[in-house]
Amino acid sequence: MSDVVEKTLTALPSLLSLDSQPGSAKLSSNSKLGNLIRGITELTSKHEEEKLIQHELSSIKEQVSSPNTTMRQMRELMVRAVYCEMLGYEASFSYIHAIKLAQQGNVLEKRVGYLAVSLFLNENHELLLLLVNTVLKDLQSTNLIEVCMALTVVCQIFPKDMIPAILPIVEEKLNHPKEIIRRKAVLALHKFYLIAPNQVQHIHNKFRKALCDKDPGVMTASLHIYLQLIQENAEAYKDLTASFVTILKQVVGGKLPMDFNYHSVPAPWLQIQLLRILSLLGKNDQRTSEVMYEVLDESLRRAEMNHNITYAILYECVKCVYTIHPKSELLEKAATCIGNFVLSPKINLKYLGLKALTYVVQQDPKLALQHQMTIIECLDHSDVIIKRETLELLFRITNAQNVTVIVEKMLDFLRLSKDDHTTVDLAGKVAELAEKYAPDNEWFIQTMNAVFSLGGDMMQPEIPNGFLKLLSEGFDSEEEDRKLRLFAVNSYISLLQGDPSKLPQRFLQVICWVLGEYSYLKDDLDPVVVLRLLAQLLDMKGSSSDTKSWVLVAMTKLCWSETAVSVAQQVAETYSSSFDTTLRQRAQELQHLSRDSQLHSRVLPPGGSLEPVEVDSSLSFLDGFVSEALSAGAAPYKPLHQRQEELSRSKALSLEPYGLSLPISTSSCSITDRQSPTLLSTSSGLSGDSTDFSHRGSSTTLKLDGVRRVWGREGYLAQKEPVEEVAQVEIPSPLRSPGQQGDADSCHSRTPTANPEGDREKQQLASSLFGGLSSQSSVCLMEKSERFGRKAKGQRASSTPNEQRSDPSVSSSSAVDNLLCNNLLEENSEPIDSSTKQTFQHPQSLRVPNGACDAEAIISDDDTKGRNRPVSPEEHVEGDDFPPCEDKSKDLSLTAHLPAELSGFSHSEIIPLCSNRSLDLSACHVQTDNTVVLVVFVTNSSEDANLQIQVLSEELEVCCPCESPVEEVRGHSVSVRQYSLTVKRPLVHFELVGRLSYSAAGTLQSMQFSYKLPLTSFIRPLTVSTEEYGSMWLAFSHDTKQNLTLMKEEQEPLSATLNALKKKLSLHVVEIIGVEGLVACSLLQDQPCLMHCRVHAGRLAVWLRSPVADLPDCLLYHCQRALQEH
Amino acid sequence: MQFMLLFSRQGKLRLQKWYVPLSDKERKKISRDLVQTILARKPKMCSFLEWRDLKIVYKRYASLYFCCAVEDQDNELITLEIIHRYVELLDKYFGSVCELDIIFNFEKAYFILDEFLLGGEAQETSKKNVLKAIEQADLLQEEAEGRV
């Protein structure tokens, strides 16, 4: 037998067509694994292999379950089972035996057992629980190798619920005399930190000890933990900066043992890890950055050898230099480095050079200019990866001047791309650029057509939604809107007349909607033609039922002529018996509306535009209904997730620690997910008809908020500005003459000059690509004005952007118009221009007196007040009209009458309540630390009077500390009354009604007034620790979830958003952990509300919890509001 | 690091180590698609790939491809050197390593990998230390085998 094996073995190298060499002599000559492997290599077909492995597996199965199998045999069997799994055949029967082997075997059998376990099982496998005891035993073993094995397996897989069982022992190992044990223990803790951060919070100072370990290996291992910790919260570790710098200095200076050298570079892994940590610490922090300048300079200097490993360090240095607070000398050196990368003939370095350029180009656009010819070469590189990265770079430098060329290049790439991921990503980017910089209507529509056809149905739904929103909302000029829509209609008609079966479903849906809404704009077009074209889509094989719904809705909008009706009726009949309920519904609508032309014109007025709708997302208009139902004994509503939670809680004990009960992903409960595409079309036509539809409208609104990201990336321009000046100095002429370009060419690129024809082409391309870049300042102005316009893309609407700027009164008056409509959405997209901002914010503060309003704000707002007064709808003025010009002096003088004990606190704007010839009543509210006080000022401009004021509210408790209800007010003086307010039941806004009766000169008169204040006046920050937060969270029963818009900050969108909320609503930010934020506040007198925020898919998923019913909903409304105003 | 795969020019998987929890199905799909993608690339092409939402670094040594998926902020070049260091370790251990060594002694290759990379992070970058750890364990094995 062994003879045969011997022979096979010698024949093997040639058999496998591999080089014969001494290594193969070490093959485990008589092992069964060897036989198996040899057997497989002899096979010719996949089918034979399958048969052989199945046979093998059944023989393994038989042996492992036999009681006579020794551990030694078991070890061999496990190796074979692992091999079979690697080939893709399942051997799950052996999992339990692998655990048994780890448990019962001797040291080496254990080794294989542990290996098999770590390869077979993944973190969530239930069998892992069986491993805990074995690990525990081995950790306590006196045999070092067993301890090592146990730690190794712990670092790879361990059930997180069982961490507490072994944590103390692992911690103990941090003091072990052997460095290998200490090192593995540190890595095990790192692993614990990754899977269950709460469990290891108490041992943070042990990490510090590991950082100071005398063994460089242990210290290096501890850096993994620090990198993670600092990524999550850099602030807490700033004090370690100097230590990290010292370590890096020592490493760079060659102070580590030679063992750690790699190709004569000292500990490169350690260096890179440290550089990453430093860049996190120095980000946006000048003082910390200054500490590291010297060592960075040294690292850049030392890494000069021509080897991959030095390039790796250099690349990390460059990234660090560009991330921390800038220092010009370092930036210069880093720029040179990037240049060397980009120009390198080594393709890997070139790729990284492009990546680095992409990373820095926003800070330093001139770098891209320097390398323009190389970039253009890369654009036609044979490796798609290089091409793709170049497009990414171009995407970052796109502006109004080069957009057509860059988009063309991107579309070219898209046409050839086969990878779905790339397609989705790139289609999104083209759409973003098109919306932002489109030079004209025609180009815009054609580009979007290309995006829709190439992006197909994988594309993010935001793109078609955003596009339709854009079309429907239009821009400043009616005429431009009409042209754009007409152009779209024309283009789509011709597409449908071609071969629509090739178009993706999403695109067809867009086409349907546009034709339904706007085909009336085309004068010579008979709606019947459109109807026929649409009907043809219904018969197409590939049409999804979603698309069919869109078609039917579009037809419903179009069937107002007689011939059209007959076509529509026919279609409606076919589909009114469809099995698909949505389709049936649409068909019914079509049938009914086409029959009744009067109803049709009422429901779908031709040319009817999208009426904006104010959305009360807290559904406060249902409050009455709900309270009625509750008082009639109905159970309070619990959201789905809460019900499920309670259900699961009642079923089983939860082992999950606090952190895990937080929402993993709240996307499933966001409103946006519930929306079907057809809603968009219906809501636009029927908006405002019923509350139901207005809510659907709201979901569209919310969804499209996310799209806004596409319109303008704040920070992008802001970052550019300071550097642009530099660019200007360096490159005097924005549009280079060909001669100059030749110069640039010869210095910066290695283009062979032998091919002048190709060169010229490239240079032309260069000038079209980089033209805009070199004239940054003008581009920048244009972009700014673009943002100041009513829409981010105002530029396209009005052919010259300057037109818009020259006439600010137009834009500000349109802002007032929008406010009159009370449109939430419009407010959101309002300009940031400071002059319009005032007109925009002011009426708001009138309607909703803002507690944070201070005296200074009142003064600055005063000049616009007169204009806004009449438009404020909520203001109740009974009695004589108020002459607006008097306001200013009155406000100021009344402020002086504020009671002394309240003067230290912020008060809202003083607003007039009512007045007549002799009396003026004004009021404001003051927020103290633990109360809200309504202060009423009575100005008596005639003789002495006795007066009585009553203030009432359903939802607020009003308490008047003053002694007698009747008070005498002396003539020509101001009297002040205070009422302390307490919340009975949370509401979005509270309304107080009051009645003033007074007798003067023997006559009795009375006046009524009302006062409104928001819930936010009663909100105070709640200072709790993360642990307290955790226990409170679980205790609260009322909650709500929603996705909010994230602020578009480049750097820290989460903390920026939370800070904005904190400022506006006076919340307390408990902690920000990575992408999650914990926020707490309380409604006066300890009625807490907790908010958990999580960044998810570019949105902020918030989850509010409180013991007080309605509080989460009301607060959510204000959060939403606050972010929209921002 | 998210995972490491070793596969032959014929697309046969020789070693797989996953550092992120994925189901068997996902693992199979990823390795199948990735192997195809990499095998289709020409030798002079870039060693880095943006593949789906992963960042892939790969290198070919003789008939074997070594391929790692790393996080977005990880350094590509150092990952390439991690692969190289692993090959050096294998080479030192087996003495001029070839694909057959890894096929027939794949469990040894795993042991070496576990001493070098632990939980997806470089555990020990000193070549001497890694080999020392392996040798100690092997020594024990030989003793035990000698006893039997």
Side-chain angles (χ1 to χ4, degrees):
Chain A
M1 177 67 192
S2 64
D3 268 357
V4 180
V5 177
E6 213 51 73
K7 273 182 198 159
T8 331
L9 245 183
T10 38
L12 196 65
S14 57
L15 191 82
L16 294 175
S17 69
L18 290 164
D19 305 334
S20 85
Q21 48 148 312
S24 48
K26 296 193 308 277
L27 304 181
S28 32
S29 49
N30 51 3
S31 77
K32 288 182 184 155
L33 174 73
N35 289 335
L36 172 65
I37 295 169
R38 279 186 286 273
I40 291 170
T41 41
E42 279 162 20
L43 299 176
T44 47
S45 75
K46 183 83 191 160
H47 179 68
E48 281 178 338
E49 179 189 296
E50 204 173 317
K51 241 169 59 185
L52 182 80
I53 304 273
Q54 289 308 345
H55 180 254
E56 181 78 17
L57 281 174
S58 55
S59 109
I60 295 176
K61 190 172 185 174
E62 197 178 302
Q63 287 182 61
V64 288
S65 40
S66 145
N68 300 325
T69 311
T70 64
M71 280 297 143
R72 194 187 160 87
Q73 286 167 319
M74 195 67 99
R75 184 180 106 204
E76 199 275 323
L77 288 167
M78 281 306 125
V79 173
R80 269 196 284 160
V82 169
Y83 191 81
C84 292
E85 281 238 321
M86 186 158 69
L87 291 179
Y89 300 88
E90 200 198 287
S92 52
F93 62 86
S94 53
Y95 297 173
I96 184 78
H97 298 283
I99 291 178
K100 228 162 81 184
L101 188 64
Q103 211 161 46
Q104 297 166 0
N106 65 24
V107 180
L108 10 135
E109 288 148 9
K110 248 181 204 306
R111 196 182 180 199
V112 174
Y114 275 134
L115 175 69
V117 169
S118 71
L119 292 172
F120 282 150
L121 306 181
N122 71 26
E123 244 158 57
N124 311 317
H125 205 286
E126 48 190 5
L127 281 180
L128 266 186
L129 282 175
L130 297 176
L131 197 70
V132 176
N133 260 327
T134 315
V135 168
L136 199 58
K137 201 180 84 205
D138 285 339
L139 280 176
Q140 289 162 311
S141 160
T142 49
N143 185 337
L144 280 188
I145 296 201
E146 281 183 342
V147 180
C148 277
M149 285 191 304
L151 284 172
T152 305
V153 83
V154 163
C155 291
Q156 306 189 54
I157 41 164
F158 198 76
K160 54 186 159 197
D161 302 333
M162 287 299 160
I163 290 174
I166 59 163
L167 188 59
I169 306 174
V170 175
E171 273 177 61
E172 218 172 84
K173 299 291 178 218
L174 289 175
N175 300 320
H176 199 278
K178 275 279 184 199
E179 63 269 6
I180 184 171
I181 306 276
R182 293 204 299 276
R183 195 176 69 213
K184 284 186 196 264
V186 168
L187 284 169
L189 291 177
H190 174 233
K191 172 78 178 176
F192 294 165
Y193 183 77
L194 288 180
I195 58 176
N198 296 345
Q199 311 264 13
V200 285
Q201 251 165 10
H202 62 288
I203 46 174
H204 278 202
N205 41 0
K206 296 214 169 153
F207 294 160
R208 285 196 187 223
K209 210 178 145 222
L211 182 66
C212 305
D213 199 287
K214 59 182 188 297
D215 180 69
V218 182
M219 186 262 289
T220 312
S222 77
L223 291 183
H224 296 309
I225 299 180
Y226 277 105
L227 182 63
Q228 191 67 31
L229 290 171
I230 291 169
Q231 241 162 20
E232 282 159 16
N233 179 13
E235 285 308 314
Y237 298 93
K238 296 270 181 185
D239 60 316
L240 285 175
T241 313
S243 315
F244 291 128
V245 168
T246 318
I247 299 173
L248 184 55
K249 256 185 205 154
Q250 288 176 349
V251 176
V252 174
K255 299 271 169 27
L256 285 192
M258 288 293 278
D259 283 351
F260 291 90
N261 282 11
Y262 177 86
H263 294 264
S264 49
V265 175
W269 279 273
L270 180 54
Q271 286 196 44
I272 282 173
Q273 200 79 349
L274 284 166
L275 286 169
R276 279 178 68 184
I277 289 178
L278 289 182
S279 70
L280 290 171
L281 286 171
K283 194 175 179 182
N284 302 327
D285 183 345
Q286 183 172 2
R287 221 165 43 86
T288 314
S289 297
E290 275 164 4
V291 183
M292 51 188 86
Y293 287 150
E294 193 193 326
V295 74
L296 286 176
D297 191 56
E298 194 169 340
S299 296
L300 281 173
R301 207 152 34 81
R302 291 253 184 175
E304 52 207 1
M305 208 186 43
N306 185 13
H307 187 278
N308 256 347
I309 198 72
T310 47
Y311 292 126
I313 294 172
L314 276 180
Y315 181 63
E316 208 60 49
C317 271
V318 168
K319 268 184 20 189
C320 182
V321 166
Y322 272 97
T323 312
I324 63 172
H325 187 86
K327 184 181 188 205
S328 57
E329 295 146 56
L330 283 176
L331 286 177
E332 243 168 66
K333 284 183 186 168
T336 320
C337 267
I338 295 181
N340 291 339
F341 274 75
V342 174
L343 295 176
S344 166
K346 290 183 181 165
I347 190 162
N348 288 344
L349 296 187
K350 196 183 271 297
Y351 170 82
L352 288 181
L354 286 172
K355 250 190 122 141
L357 262 186
T358 312
Y359 186 69
V360 306
V361 78
Q362 281 164 26
Q363 292 180 48
D364 198 352
K366 81 177 166 175
L367 254 188
L369 266 177
Q370 267 175 25
H371 300 294
Q372 45 179 319
M373 292 318 286
T374 320
I375 294 172
I376 289 180
E377 274 169 39
C378 291
L379 210 48
D380 291 323
H381 203 281
S382 55
D383 189 346
V384 278
I385 297 294
I386 300 278
K387 258 194 195 173
R388 176 80 185 78
E389 196 52 47
T390 315
L391 288 179
E392 193 67 41
L393 172 60
L394 290 180
F395 170 71
R396 304 277 177 117
I397 58 166
T398 309
N399 54 40
Q401 290 175 37
N402 58 18
V403 64
T404 46
V405 192
I406 290 180
V407 163
E408 190 52 46
K409 289 280 167 196
M410 289 169 99
L411 288 175
D412 282 347
F413 188 90
L414 258 180
R415 285 186 191 107
L416 297 173
S417 160
K418 287 185 199 78
D419 175 40
D420 294 354
H421 204 268
T422 314
T423 307
V424 171
D425 182 55
L426 220 51
K429 285 186 169 144
V430 174
E432 179 179 339
L433 293 179
E435 287 191 5
K436 221 154 127 188
Y437 302 112
D440 56 61
N441 290 339
E442 194 172 334
W443 184 89
F444 178 64
I445 296 291
Q446 272 166 359
T447 305
M448 289 310 284
N449 285 356
V451 170
F452 290 135
S453 351
L454 294 168
D457 293 320
M458 294 168 296
M459 202 164 41
Q460 301 105 310
E462 282 86 1
I463 299 174
N465 287 355
F467 175 72
L468 293 185
K469 183 165 144 52
L470 204 85
L471 275 186
S472 64
E473 285 187 345
F475 308 100
D476 289 339
S477 135
E478 283 281 321
E479 181 53 26
E480 283 295 324
D481 291 348
R482 207 186 64 82
K483 274 190 194 159
L484 176 66
R485 290 167 186 161
L486 186 59
F487 194 86
V489 169
N490 281 332
S491 150
Y492 295 160
I493 294 279
S494 61
L495 273 174
L496 288 190
Q497 281 163 345
D499 183 5
S501 64
K502 282 189 190 136
L503 301 176
Q505 300 298 312
R506 285 259 170 77
F507 192 16
L508 289 176
Q509 292 163 9
V510 168
I511 291 176
C512 289
W513 190 85
V514 171
L515 290 182
E517 285 288 312
Y518 300 119
S519 59
Y520 74 92
L521 290 172
K522 193 169 156 72
D523 297 328
D524 54 342
L525 184 67
D526 188 345
V528 179
V529 176
V530 184
L531 277 179
R532 293 232 162 85
L533 284 172
L534 289 172
Q536 152 205 348
L537 297 181
L538 288 172
D539 301 332
M540 241 158 49
K541 253 193 294 177
S543 297
S544 69
S545 68
D546 259 358
T547 309
K548 287 179 183 165
S549 299
W550 286 77
V551 171
L552 291 177
V553 173
M555 289 177 126
T556 315
K557 290 177 197 158
L558 288 172
C559 57
W560 36 267
S561 79
E562 247 170 67
T563 35
V565 167
S566 69
V567 178
Q569 287 289 352
Q570 210 179 333
V571 170
E573 219 152 274
T574 323
Y575 284 92
S576 56
S577 55
S578 163
F579 286 124
D580 186 313
T581 42
T582 323
L583 269 185
R584 205 159 63 221
Q585 163 80 18
R586 301 283 165 250
Q588 294 285 353
E589 282 168 15
L590 175 59
Q591 202 160 31
H592 287 289
L593 288 173
S594 63
R595 265 193 214 134
D596 187 340
S597 63
Q598 265 189 331
L599 182 64
H600 186 270
S601 59
R602 229 176 61 221
V603 176
L604 299 162
S609 58
L610 180 86
E611 284 297 325
V613 185
E614 169 138 30
V615 177
D616 180 0
S617 66
S618 69
L619 309 187
S620 64
F621 59 90
L622 286 173
D623 285 349
F625 173 79
V626 172
S627 61
E628 237 168 69
L630 284 174
S631 63
Y637 172 73
K638 285 175 187 163
L640 179 66
H641 54 88
Q642 198 184 334
R643 274 175 276 154
Q644 283 171 338
E645 222 167 69
E646 282 173 10
L647 205 67
S648 63
R649 224 180 285 156
S650 62
K651 263 191 207 150
L653 263 179
S654 168
L655 288 168
E656 309 263 281
Y658 151 68
L660 302 164
S661 64
L662 286 174
I664 310 273
S665 158
T666 47
S667 68
S668 59
C669 31
S670 71
I671 288 186
T672 56
D673 285 352
R674 276 185 243 139
Q675 195 210 15
S676 82
T678 39
L679 287 179
L680 188 65
S681 66
T682 39
S683 67
S684 62
L686 303 171
S687 57
D689 278 330
S690 68
T691 45
D692 182 34
F693 270 114
S694 68
H695 277 103
R696 289 177 166 193
S698 88
S699 54
T700 333
T701 315
L702 285 168
K703 182 171 209 161
L704 293 169
D705 273 352
V707 188
R708 211 165 288 274
R709 170 170 43 111
V710 174
W711 294 13
R713 289 177 304 178
E714 265 99 327
Y716 179 84
L717 289 167
Q719 276 192 355
K720 233 183 202 173
E721 280 163 64
V723 200
E724 273 146 18
E725 290 164 27
V726 186
Q728 278 276 300
V729 178
E730 303 258 332
I731 301 129
S733 154
L735 291 167
R736 293 168 166 211
S737 67
Q740 279 171 310
Q741 273 178 18
D743 290 347
D745 189 7
S746 57
C747 352
H748 297 302
S749 125
R750 299 157 297 99
T751 323
T753 41
N755 182 2
E757 188 66 5
D759 264 13
R760 203 172 310 132
E761 260 174 42
K762 280 182 181 165
Q763 277 163 15
Q764 268 169 2
L765 186 56
S767 67
S768 50
L769 278 178
F770 297 94
L773 256 199
S774 42
S775 55
Q776 280 295 337
S777 57
S778 66
V779 173
C780 177
L781 272 178
M782 277 164 60
E783 282 165 355
K784 237 188 252 163
S785 66
E786 215 174 60
R787 294 217 261 155
F788 287 178
R790 201 177 139 230
K791 287 275 147 36
K793 291 131 293 169
Q795 197 196 351
R796 175 152 41 84
S798 61
S799 49
T800 53
N802 289 339
E803 246 174 45
Q804 269 184 313
R805 268 157 49 84
S806 63
D807 193 1
S809 63
V810 173
S811 72
S812 65
S813 71
S814 80
V816 175
D817 286 350
N818 291 336
L819 283 165
L820 280 170
C821 304
N822 252 347
N823 183 355
L824 273 178
L825 244 181
E826 291 298 316
E827 280 172 17
N828 191 15
S829 59
E830 269 317 306
I832 333 165
D833 187 323
S834 63
S835 71
T836 44
K837 194 174 178 179
Q838 284 182 352
T839 55
F840 148 62
Q841 279 191 337
H842 195 75
Q844 187 107 65
S845 58
L846 274 176
R847 279 189 282 129
V848 185
N850 186 345
C853 198
D854 55 21
E856 198 182 288
I858 294 170
I859 296 169
S860 71
D861 278 350
D862 270 338
D863 49 350
T864 53
K865 186 172 270 177
R867 200 149 33 114
N868 285 313
R869 178 150 304 289
V871 308
S872 166
E874 260 112 340
E875 196 184 341
H876 269 256
V877 182
E878 289 177 25
D880 289 353
D881 257 343
F882 226 60
C885 51
E886 276 177 33
D887 276 9
K888 193 191 282 182
S889 55
K890 199 167 278 172
D891 259 10
L892 285 175
S893 62
L894 286 177
T895 311
H897 287 279
L898 266 179
E901 70 267 25
L902 297 179
S903 59
F905 299 100
S906 66
H907 67 88
S908 69
E909 191 190 350
I910 299 174
I911 61 161
L913 296 175
C914 58
S915 72
N916 66 7
R917 250 160 256 110
S918 53
L919 283 180
D920 271 340
L921 229 64
S922 309
C924 69
H925 59 272
V926 182
Q927 291 174 231
T928 70
D929 291 338
N930 44 23
T931 52
V932 173
V933 181
L934 176 74
V935 183
V936 180
F937 303 89
V938 186
T939 314
N940 187 354
S941 49
S942 62
E943 287 151 29
D944 297 4
N946 280 323
L947 59 87
Q948 188 179 1
I949 302 177
Q950 281 178 313
V951 182
L952 291 170
S953 168
E954 273 184 35
E955 301 86 11
L956 292 173
E957 210 165 283
V958 184
C959 192
C960 179
C962 72
E963 319 71 38
S964 74
V966 184
E967 197 193 347
E968 193 185 347
V969 181
R970 302 252 298 276
H972 306 286
S973 72
V974 178
S975 144
V976 177
R977 300 270 181 127
Q978 293 181 41
Y979 301 88
S980 74
L981 307 176
T982 326
V983 177
K984 283 195 264 184
R985 197 163 62 81
L987 265 190
V988 172
H989 296 293
F990 299 101
E991 189 153 7
L992 292 156
V993 285
R995 190 186 158 85
L996 165 75
S997 13
Y998 71 100
S999 57
T1003 55
L1004 191 70
Q1005 294 192 29
S1006 75
M1007 288 194 283
Q1008 285 180 343
F1009 59 89
S1010 73
Y1011 187 84
K1012 206 169 173 186
L1013 70 171
L1015 175 78
T1016 44
S1017 316
F1018 296 90
I1019 296 291
R1020 299 288 179 275
L1022 176 67
T1023 321
V1024 289
S1025 69
T1026 311
E1027 288 75 32
E1028 288 164 339
Y1029 181 100
S1031 54
M1032 284 162 83
W1033 179 268
L1034 291 176
F1036 295 169
S1037 49
H1038 299 278
D1039 67 349
T1040 188
K1041 289 184 190 180
Q1042 191 152 348
N1043 283 1
L1044 299 182
T1045 322
L1046 203 56
M1047 279 168 54
K1048 281 64 169 191
E1049 291 289 319
E1050 284 278 292
Q1051 308 285 346
E1052 303 277 353
L1054 176 62
S1055 58
T1057 312
L1058 292 186
N1059 277 334
L1061 285 177
K1062 180 180 162 185
K1063 239 175 36 208
K1064 291 210 169 169
L1065 308 177
S1066 59
L1067 310 173
H1068 171 66
V1069 180
V1070 180
E1071 199 179 356
I1072 297 179
I1073 313 165
V1075 294
E1076 300 187 29
L1078 310 179
V1079 180
C1081 66
S1082 72
L1083 192 59
L1084 284 181
Q1085 283 101 37
D1086 42 73
Q1087 299 191 311
C1089 183
L1090 303 180
M1091 185 159 126
H1092 175 266
C1093 311
R1094 186 168 179 280
V1095 180
H1096 177 77
R1099 311 276 321 237
L1100 186 69
V1102 295
W1103 186 356
L1104 291 128
R1105 276 195 174 191
S1106 167
V1108 186
D1110 301 338
L1111 184 54
D1113 288 308
C1114 299
L1115 200 62
L1116 182 67
Y1117 171 83
H1118 284 288
C1119 291
Q1120 217 171 351
R1121 196 78 186 206
L1123 289 179
Q1124 271 166 346
E1125 277 164 23
H1126 203 88
Chain B
M1 191 178 293
Q2 303 205 350
F3 58 82
M4 186 177 208
L5 300 176
L6 263 68
F7 53 90
S8 71
R9 218 166 29 177
Q10 290 79 31
K12 283 247 188 269
L13 212 52
R14 295 304 180 203
L15 197 122
Q16 53 172 345
K17 189 86 192 177
W18 300 82
Y19 298 109
V20 284
L22 288 171
S23 72
D24 269 1
K25 219 172 125 195
E26 287 168 300
R27 288 180 183 186
K28 270 184 202 159
K29 184 164 169 38
I30 290 178
S31 42
R32 198 178 49 235
D33 294 358
L34 191 56
V35 166
Q36 265 178 14
T37 312
I38 291 179
L39 287 177
R41 288 178 61 79
K42 296 194 183 74
K44 289 273 170 188
M45 284 184 169
C46 185
S47 304
F48 315 128
L49 275 183
E50 264 153 61
W51 183 75
R52 302 204 188 147
D53 48 351
L54 295 172
K55 196 151 109 177
I56 306 290
V57 177
Y58 73 93
K59 190 162 185 190
R60 184 177 151 182
Y61 287 87
S63 56
L64 260 191
Y65 283 87
F66 290 69
C67 157
C68 295
V70 292
E71 326 289 333
D72 197 44
Q73 67 275 20
D74 280 337
N75 187 313
E76 289 93 339
L77 282 173
I78 200 85
T79 313
L80 214 50
E81 295 313 303
I82 284 184
I83 294 176
H84 189 71
R85 172 45 63 99
Y86 182 45
V87 174
E88 281 180 359
L89 288 167
L90 291 171
D91 204 53
K92 190 99 181 181
Y93 182 80
F94 288 106
S96 168
V97 70
C98 72
E99 189 183 344
L100 279 181
D101 292 319
I102 295 171
I103 300 174
F104 285 94
N105 299 291
F106 70 91
E107 82 273 22
K108 297 260 170 54
Y110 275 121
F111 291 142
I112 296 172
L113 185 62
D114 281 350
E115 281 309 314
F116 174 46
L117 293 176
L118 198 46
E121 305 284 358
Q123 175 195 182
E124 178 57 79
T125 55
S126 148
K127 191 150 79 177
K128 199 180 81 188
N129 290 352
V130 175
L131 290 171
K132 208 165 74 190
I134 293 289
E135 276 157 16
Q136 274 174 351
D138 278 358
L139 207 64
L140 211 82
Q141 180 152 1
E142 274 159 33
E143 275 170 19
E145 241 133 67
R147 254 185 281 131
V148 174

